[in-house]
Amino acid sequence: MAALLSVQHLSVSFLTSKGETQVLRDVSFSLARGETLAIVGASGCGKSVLCKSILKLLPPSAVITSGKICVNGANILNQTEQEMCRLRGKVLSIVLQNPMTALHPSRTIGAQIGEAIKAHQRGMTKEQMQERVRRLMELTEIDRPKERMRQYPHQFSGGMLQRMVIASALASDPDILLADEPTTALDAVTQEHILELLVRLKKEETGLATVFVTHDPRAAVRVADRVAVMYDGEIVETGPIREVFQNPTHPYTRTLLQALPSVSAKNEKKNAAVGHVIIGEKEPEKQPIKEILLDVRHLGCQFPLTRQTVVRAVDDLSFQIYQGEILGLVGASGSGKSTVARCIMNICRPTSGQMVYNGIDIRQPLSYYKNKKMLQQSRQILFQDSGSSLDPRMKVCDIITEPLRIWHMKPKRGSMQAETEYQMRSVGLPQELSYRYPSELSGGQRQRVAIARALTMEPRLLVADEPLTSLDVVGQMQIVKLFQHLKERHKFTLLFIAHDLAMVEWLCDRVGVMHQGKLVECAPVRELFASPKHPYTKSLLKAARNM
């Protein structure tokens, strides 16, 4: 079968203040019509740079030092920008890793999806285009598409924005889809639907060819025919996906597969390993310390959808978090998890209910402002979108120590540099990244910088909104073990919002399940995973076990 896309001996370097850094080294692969190739590897190994190279969307500091990229036999590296504009969207389309920065904040979702249709499918009437947008939104499981298409990106959750980006990429019926981590911000049920959608698209007559970039081998197995494993800018192993994963030859591939956690069956625990550390059954759960750090009662938060209708993002939600406890919060994208996090941190103003943190009613403006300094120092949040939560004009070393400078606090390690080095080691970042800007980092590296910044203050309560989505499985386990260490040594309290139920099961003491703004179930983690009560919890666990 003739190759639709062929990458031959591609090498890419970045020019930095410290000299030339090689990001891709002699990368070669091909992709046939109707085929799906999974590219699997750690965050920072060059997966996203490879996708941007294929589209010729690299930043000015990047240089393609050697190689060819052929689409339908033609080397696109020799094509002009005008010729590339005709290819992008119609022949080559991309699902970018960071949906918040991929969408224009001042344009409606409908207009942005329709833009690709208008550019490549001329002659459509306004009504036809709106109908096409509506169908694409339904295809990616966005509810109430007629109303939603008139909304703006900031009015959606991270998972729903991810679905918008997928809809936009499919709008012009491309021949080749570059999907850069398309399912990282999605819950297990929606993730399964998107993977099924990608499988269905490649089986249709159009024969969509897909490069599926992911750090999760479980997702890759569901959709891909072949796999290329990347490590440190190189493809270290490639072949039919089941053959590679059943008989891996490279040490990194074996480490990646061993690090996979899994959701336990009803009365069964499966083990995962990282190197020589076996992760399986947790120690018997201790009774939670009965010192309530955060008490949320009948919390409600609603947003206007149109002039006549409102969305109840959070509806009569109540829970408590004990000192030294890790509480997991799971549910579908758009179920209200991020809104709960923002309410707890006084970023979003709830419409009803009560929130008491360490004896202080933080919903009341008077008591909040009276204790504002203490509250901001003892509570920290990790935002779902690390790309937009980091100042693009600041270097990594300045970002990590910024909270200390704001509050005029002396670093516990003696100096700002020593504090930066300590926190970077804690989250697994190499020291040479300390003088880089966020735009020079991968999605997973930016996420680790955000975690390091939050931990610099050694908070009493950390609200972590999807802290693991951009990390590979080895990096995820490193951060999870860090959280576990902080809990054991410092009575660290964590609200852990996540889609990865395997990580939730291993890390958390209790878990709450959200569905359509309501907390439908909350129980100790073993009890909930062994005997779920609510139908939605059962469907969520079933989807996770099928991964």
Side-chain angles (χ1 to χ4, degrees):
M1 192 181 293
L4 186 61
L5 170 67
S6 175
V7 176
Q8 301 167 24
H9 308 291
L10 182 69
S11 295
V12 177
S13 294
F14 278 76
L15 304 177
T16 69
S17 57
K18 299 286 184 180
E20 184 177 322
T21 302
Q22 196 168 16
V23 180
L24 295 180
R25 298 178 178 84
D26 197 33
V27 172
S28 297
F29 67 88
S30 61
L31 184 70
R33 187 175 296 278
E35 183 183 33
T36 298
L37 172 72
I39 297 180
V40 180
S43 57
C45 71
K47 305 186 299 293
S48 296
V49 172
L50 176 58
C51 289
K52 290 177 181 178
S53 300
I54 294 169
L55 283 162
K56 288 183 73 175
L57 290 176
L58 290 170
S61 59
V63 179
I64 296 176
T65 55
S66 64
K68 293 165 65 177
I69 302 172
C70 298
V71 176
N72 286 323
N75 186 5
I76 64 171
L77 297 182
N78 299 327
Q79 296 190 351
T80 64
E81 181 60 23
Q82 189 175 8
E83 290 171 326
M84 283 304 300
C85 284
R86 288 194 288 269
L87 281 178
R88 294 187 196 118
K90 186 60 183 172
V91 178
L92 293 160
S93 190
I94 187 168
V95 178
L96 291 168
Q97 184 176 1
N98 191 341
M100 182 61 79
T101 53
L103 295 168
H104 199 295
S106 62
R107 299 189 65 197
T108 64
I109 290 298
Q112 294 188 67
I113 297 175
E115 188 176 30
I117 302 170
K118 199 183 298 183
H120 298 285
Q121 297 182 20
R122 300 176 186 273
M124 270 193 176
T125 65
K126 185 179 179 181
E127 290 74 21
Q128 288 174 326
M129 190 180 72
Q130 287 182 343
E131 178 60 23
R132 170 73 171 152
V133 170
R134 187 188 64 77
R135 288 203 309 271
L136 285 165
M137 292 176 77
E138 286 178 345
L139 189 68
T140 51
E141 286 198 336
I142 298 165
D143 63 332
R144 293 179 288 190
K146 284 187 178 179
E147 296 169 344
R148 294 287 193 181
M149 68 172 66
R150 294 194 291 270
Q151 290 188 293
Y152 295 88
H154 71 272
Q155 295 174 291
F156 293 89
S157 70
M160 293 182 77
L161 288 175
Q162 188 72 60
R163 286 181 256 178
M164 304 291 185
V165 172
I166 294 169
S168 182
L170 296 173
S172 56
D173 294 325
D175 297 327
I176 302 168
L177 179 66
L178 307 174
D180 189 4
E181 303 280 5
T183 59
T184 52
L186 303 178
D187 61 278
V189 175
T190 309
Q191 189 177 116
E192 187 174 26
H193 172 82
I194 293 300
L195 295 177
E196 287 173 356
L197 171 64
L198 292 174
V199 171
R200 191 168 71 248
L201 285 170
K202 81 172 183 178
K203 289 180 178 178
E204 291 178 353
E205 292 181 5
T206 52
L208 178 69
T210 306
V211 176
F212 184 76
V213 176
T214 183
H215 56 248
D216 188 353
R218 296 167 297 187
V221 169
R222 295 287 302 279
V223 297
D225 305 299
R226 292 187 300 119
V227 64
V229 181
M230 285 192 72
Y231 179 71
D232 196 24
E234 297 180 79
I235 291 180
V236 296
E237 192 165 358
T238 187
I241 190 161
R242 297 192 181 277
E243 181 181 312
V244 169
F245 285 169
Q246 286 172 3
N247 300 293
T249 57
H250 194 273
Y252 176 72
T253 311
R254 290 197 291 268
T255 302
L256 191 68
L257 295 173
Q258 286 174 343
L260 282 174
S262 58
V263 178
S264 63
K266 191 164 186 178
N267 292 305
E268 172 190 2
K269 270 283 187 183
K270 296 178 183 178
N271 291 331
V274 182
H276 300 292
V277 181
I278 302 296
I279 298 165
E281 291 254 8
K282 289 199 289 185
E283 292 297 317
E285 292 178 9
K286 299 175 183 178
Q287 291 297 319
I289 303 167
K290 294 300 180 182
E291 180 189 343
I292 296 175
L293 181 64
L294 178 67
D295 190 2
V296 177
R297 301 280 181 181
H298 308 292
L299 186 67
C301 189
Q302 59 186 36
F303 301 100
L305 188 60
T306 65
R307 290 181 180 179
Q308 291 79 29
T309 58
V310 295
V311 173
R312 295 184 182 277
V314 179
D315 189 5
D316 194 29
L317 183 138
S318 298
F319 65 90
Q320 293 81 40
I321 304 179
Y322 299 98
Q323 177 68 44
E325 180 188 40
I326 299 180
L327 175 68
L329 196 60
V330 302
S333 55
S335 62
K337 304 185 301 297
S338 294
T339 304
V340 170
R342 289 170 177 269
C343 287
I344 290 169
M345 294 299 295
N346 296 103
I347 297 170
C348 183
R349 183 172 293 178
T351 51
S352 61
Q354 185 182 36
M355 299 183 297
V356 178
Y357 171 79
N358 197 27
I360 302 165
D361 188 347
I362 57 176
R363 190 173 171 243
Q364 296 301 320
L366 187 63
S367 60
Y368 170 72
Y369 285 108
K370 186 179 177 181
N371 299 279
K372 185 176 179 181
K373 184 176 180 179
M374 181 278 289
L375 289 169
Q376 290 190 341
Q377 288 181 354
S378 67
R379 302 178 306 162
Q380 292 291 311
I381 184 169
L382 291 171
F383 291 101
Q384 185 174 359
D385 178 20
S386 60
S388 59
S389 68
L390 303 179
D391 191 326
R393 298 167 295 179
M394 292 177 69
K395 293 179 180 177
V396 168
C397 56
D398 297 322
I399 290 170
I400 291 173
T401 55
E402 184 184 20
L404 298 175
R405 291 194 301 275
I406 289 172
W407 295 109
H408 307 288
M409 295 173 67
K410 186 179 178 181
K412 288 199 172 182
R413 279 88 206 171
S415 67
M416 293 295 185
Q417 183 178 349
E419 187 70 35
T420 300
E421 290 173 358
Y422 175 82
Q423 298 298 346
M424 290 182 74
R425 279 197 305 272
S426 296
V427 297
L429 281 172
Q431 298 298 323
E432 58 264 25
L433 299 183
S434 61
Y435 291 98
R436 291 193 188 177
Y437 293 94
S439 60
E440 298 173 315
L441 305 177
S442 70
Q445 288 169 341
R446 285 195 295 268
Q447 190 76 316
R448 294 184 201 212
V449 171
I451 293 169
R453 177 179 61 181
L455 296 179
T456 300
M457 295 296 289
E458 296 189 0
R460 195 173 176 187
L461 171 67
L462 178 64
V463 177
D465 189 2
E466 302 285 0
L468 307 178
T469 51
S470 301
L471 302 179
D472 60 279
V473 288
V474 178
Q476 284 179 4
M477 194 52 66
Q478 182 178 17
I479 297 302
V480 163
K481 288 166 72 177
L482 174 62
F483 287 157
Q484 191 71 29
H485 168 79
L486 290 169
K487 174 199 167 185
E488 291 169 358
R489 293 290 178 91
H490 305 290
K491 289 191 175 180
F492 176 78
T493 306
L494 175 65
L495 176 60
F496 183 70
I497 298 171
H499 287 126
D500 192 332
L501 296 182
M503 287 297 181
V504 169
E505 183 183 23
W506 190 79
L507 176 67
C508 298
D509 302 301
R510 289 186 301 133
V511 60
V513 181
M514 286 193 70
H515 181 55
Q516 296 179 349
K518 293 180 180 291
L519 190 67
V520 297
E521 194 164 352
C522 188
V525 67
R526 288 187 181 181
E527 180 184 320
L528 186 137
F529 276 72
S531 303
K533 304 289 190 298
H534 195 274
Y536 177 73
T537 310
K538 293 176 182 177
S539 67
L540 202 62
L541 289 171
K542 182 181 177 182
R545 287 168 182 148
N546 288 338
M547 288 295 294

